[in-house]
Amino acid sequence: MQKLIYGALVGCFLIVGNSQKAQAQLLSSFTNSSSSFVFIDKAITNLPSIKLVSNRLYNSNAAMILTEKCKAIQFKYAQILDREIEAIANISLFSFVDEWWRTRYRYGGTTKKGIDCSAFTRLLQEEVYGFELPRTAREQYAACEKIADEDMMEGDLVFFNTRGGVSHVGVYVGGGYFVHASSSQGITIDNLDNSYYKKRFISAGRVEEGERIDPINAG
């Protein structure tokens, strides 16, 4: 039984994204000092994207819950994005999206009570990728390196002219889809080929490496 749990846990960790903050939260969620435990050995501590203290013990029940949560998120967003479940690899990203899913749009908002497009992209970039962005869509556009449509990668920003100039922003999640704070649907995922967004698309932008921050120690 422990071997099965161990294998599932390793698989889940292998697909967790780059966010150190998200990793720390996930790890702390199943650290426990009671009941049955699974030993996490040096094979996992040597993974480049995961920093564990060697010789730590983790509760197997919590590990199983974590693995099931990963699978549920993969299944949900594979359906939304029309791709293979295995292609939903950045669990950190889609966990963040899922946490905010359908949060209503509110101009100037920054919380679960209501959030606008640039506040959402700013928070996602900070918590998932460790990048710090300015507050508004126009400022974020100015801070990005502009990239060609065919070079877009998961995590890039996508900018639109919805009411004059750069007035809307989202985050590209691959396959032509982007997540954003829609004024009508709240946090949702749409396709760039949607006639409304296709007509208003300005360009994609990539955050410069110099904008990277430490999401764990950020104030």
Side-chain angles (χ1 to χ4, degrees):
M1 180 64 177
Q2 286 190 341
K3 287 183 179 179
L4 289 174
I5 297 170
Y6 177 87
L9 182 60
V10 171
C12 192
F13 276 124
L14 284 173
I15 56 178
V16 170
N18 295 325
S19 170
Q20 293 178 334
K21 182 175 182 179
Q23 289 169 8
Q25 290 172 340
L26 288 171
L27 296 178
S28 65
S29 70
F30 58 87
T31 302
N32 200 309
S33 59
S34 62
S35 72
S36 58
F37 290 91
V38 176
F39 179 69
I40 307 301
D41 68 12
K42 291 181 180 179
I44 296 182
T45 65
N46 289 335
L47 290 175
S49 62
I50 297 177
K51 299 184 187 213
L52 300 178
V53 177
S54 59
N55 300 325
R56 291 287 296 276
L57 295 176
Y58 294 98
N59 183 278
S60 61
N61 292 330
M64 194 177 298
I65 292 171
L66 176 62
T67 301
E68 289 305 313
K69 183 176 180 181
C70 288
K71 290 179 180 177
I73 287 173
Q74 285 179 288
F75 181 78
K76 176 178 178 178
Y77 290 96
Q79 295 294 308
I80 292 173
L81 300 175
D82 191 26
R83 65 177 70 159
E84 296 296 323
I85 291 177
E86 294 79 10
I88 306 299
N90 191 341
I91 297 299
S92 179
L93 169 62
F94 289 102
S95 292
F96 180 88
V97 172
D98 204 56
E99 179 185 346
W100 285 84
W101 189 252
R102 296 307 189 201
T103 297
R104 73 182 184 92
Y105 177 89
R106 183 168 71 85
Y107 182 74
T110 60
T111 70
K112 294 284 179 60
K113 293 181 179 180
I115 191 166
D116 65 23
C117 65
S118 57
F120 177 72
T121 55
R122 186 173 189 254
L123 192 60
L124 185 154
Q125 288 290 328
E126 179 180 330
E127 295 202 6
V128 177
Y129 296 105
F131 290 117
E132 186 173 35
L133 289 176
R135 175 63 178 86
T136 69
R138 189 166 298 180
E139 290 171 333
Q140 290 176 13
Y141 180 77
C144 287
E145 172 193 357
K146 309 311 177 292
I147 56 175
D149 297 0
E150 61 270 21
D151 294 330
M152 283 192 295
M153 297 172 59
E154 180 186 280
D156 287 338
L157 298 180
V158 285
F159 297 94
F160 305 88
N161 177 356
T162 55
R163 59 175 185 271
V166 179
S167 50
H168 189 63
V169 59
V171 176
Y172 190 66
V173 293
Y177 290 91
F178 68 103
V179 61
H180 65 129
S182 162
S183 59
S184 59
Q185 300 181 71
I187 302 303
T188 190
I189 289 175
D190 280 303
N191 197 298
L192 289 169
D193 281 336
N194 175 296
S195 59
Y196 177 85
Y197 294 107
K198 188 173 185 178
K199 184 166 64 174
R200 292 165 174 80
F201 180 70
I202 297 175
S203 89
R206 186 164 297 156
V207 184
E208 306 259 353
E209 282 296 321
E211 300 296 328
R212 183 177 290 280
I213 62 172
D214 180 352
I216 294 178
N217 298 318

